[in-house]
Short mmCIF file of all heavy atoms in Angstrom, two decimals:
data_model
loop_
_atom_site.label_atom_id
_atom_site.label_comp_id
_atom_site.label_asym_id
_atom_site.label_seq_id
_atom_site.Cartn_x
_atom_site.Cartn_y
_atom_site.Cartn_z
N GLY A 141 146.02 113.44 52.41
CA GLY A 141 146.09 114.88 52.59
C GLY A 141 146.76 115.60 51.44
O GLY A 141 147.42 116.62 51.63
N GLY A 142 146.61 115.07 50.24
CA GLY A 142 147.20 115.69 49.07
C GLY A 142 148.56 115.16 48.70
O GLY A 142 149.14 115.60 47.70
N ALA A 143 149.10 114.22 49.49
CA ALA A 143 150.44 113.68 49.19
C ALA A 143 150.42 112.71 48.02
O ALA A 143 151.46 112.39 47.47
CB ALA A 143 151.02 112.99 50.42
N VAL A 144 149.24 112.21 47.66
CA VAL A 144 149.12 111.23 46.58
C VAL A 144 148.06 111.70 45.59
O VAL A 144 146.96 112.09 45.99
CB VAL A 144 148.74 109.84 47.15
CG1 VAL A 144 148.46 108.86 46.01
CG2 VAL A 144 149.86 109.30 48.04
N ARG A 145 148.40 111.62 44.33
CA ARG A 145 147.41 111.83 43.27
C ARG A 145 146.80 110.48 42.95
O ARG A 145 147.50 109.57 42.51
CB ARG A 145 148.06 112.42 42.02
CG ARG A 145 147.12 112.44 40.81
CD ARG A 145 147.84 112.91 39.54
NE ARG A 145 147.00 112.70 38.37
CZ ARG A 145 147.18 111.75 37.46
NH1 ARG A 145 148.19 110.91 37.60
NH2 ARG A 145 146.37 111.63 36.43
N ALA A 146 145.51 110.32 43.19
CA ALA A 146 144.84 109.04 42.98
C ALA A 146 143.78 109.17 41.90
O ALA A 146 143.03 110.16 41.86
CB ALA A 146 144.20 108.56 44.28
N VAL A 147 143.74 108.18 41.02
CA VAL A 147 142.69 108.09 39.99
C VAL A 147 142.24 106.63 39.94
O VAL A 147 142.87 105.74 40.50
CB VAL A 147 143.18 108.56 38.60
CG1 VAL A 147 143.49 110.04 38.60
CG2 VAL A 147 144.39 107.76 38.16
N SER A 148 141.13 106.39 39.26
CA SER A 148 140.61 105.02 39.17
C SER A 148 139.99 104.79 37.80
O SER A 148 139.63 105.72 37.09
CB SER A 148 139.56 104.78 40.26
OG SER A 148 138.41 105.59 40.05
N ALA A 149 139.87 103.50 37.45
CA ALA A 149 139.29 103.12 36.17
C ALA A 149 138.85 101.67 36.23
O ALA A 149 139.15 100.96 37.20
CB ALA A 149 140.30 103.33 35.03
N GLY A 150 138.14 101.23 35.19
CA GLY A 150 137.65 99.85 35.13
C GLY A 150 137.79 99.26 33.75
O GLY A 150 137.88 99.99 32.76
N SER A 151 137.79 97.93 33.68
CA SER A 151 137.87 97.26 32.38
C SER A 151 136.52 97.26 31.68
O SER A 151 136.46 97.21 30.45
CB SER A 151 138.37 95.82 32.57
OG SER A 151 137.53 95.10 33.46
N HIS A 152 135.43 97.30 32.45
CA HIS A 152 134.07 97.36 31.90
C HIS A 152 133.27 98.35 32.75
O HIS A 152 132.50 97.94 33.63
CB HIS A 152 133.40 95.99 31.91
CG HIS A 152 134.07 94.98 31.03
ND1 HIS A 152 135.20 94.28 31.41
CD2 HIS A 152 133.77 94.55 29.78
CE1 HIS A 152 135.56 93.46 30.44
NE2 HIS A 152 134.71 93.60 29.43
N PRO A 153 133.47 99.66 32.51
CA PRO A 153 132.87 100.68 33.38
C PRO A 153 131.35 100.59 33.45
O PRO A 153 130.68 100.32 32.47
CB PRO A 153 133.32 101.99 32.74
CG PRO A 153 134.53 101.63 31.93
CD PRO A 153 134.28 100.25 31.43
N LYS A 154 130.84 100.84 34.65
CA LYS A 154 129.40 100.90 34.91
C LYS A 154 129.14 102.15 35.76
O LYS A 154 130.06 102.69 36.36
CB LYS A 154 128.93 99.65 35.65
CG LYS A 154 129.12 98.35 34.88
CD LYS A 154 128.49 97.17 35.63
CE LYS A 154 129.20 96.92 36.94
NZ LYS A 154 128.71 95.68 37.62
N PRO A 155 127.88 102.58 35.82
CA PRO A 155 127.57 103.77 36.63
C PRO A 155 127.94 103.57 38.10
O PRO A 155 127.93 102.45 38.62
CB PRO A 155 126.05 103.93 36.46
CG PRO A 155 125.74 103.24 35.17
CD PRO A 155 126.71 102.09 35.07
N LEU A 156 128.26 104.66 38.74
CA LEU A 156 128.63 104.63 40.15
C LEU A 156 127.49 104.03 40.98
O LEU A 156 126.34 104.41 40.84
CB LEU A 156 128.94 106.05 40.62
CG LEU A 156 129.67 106.23 41.94
CD1 LEU A 156 131.03 105.56 41.90
CD2 LEU A 156 129.82 107.71 42.25
#
Side-chain angles (χ1 to χ4, degrees):
V144 173
R145 170 185 170 254
V147 294
S148 66
S151 57
H152 296 81
K154 298 186 294 186
L156 195 60

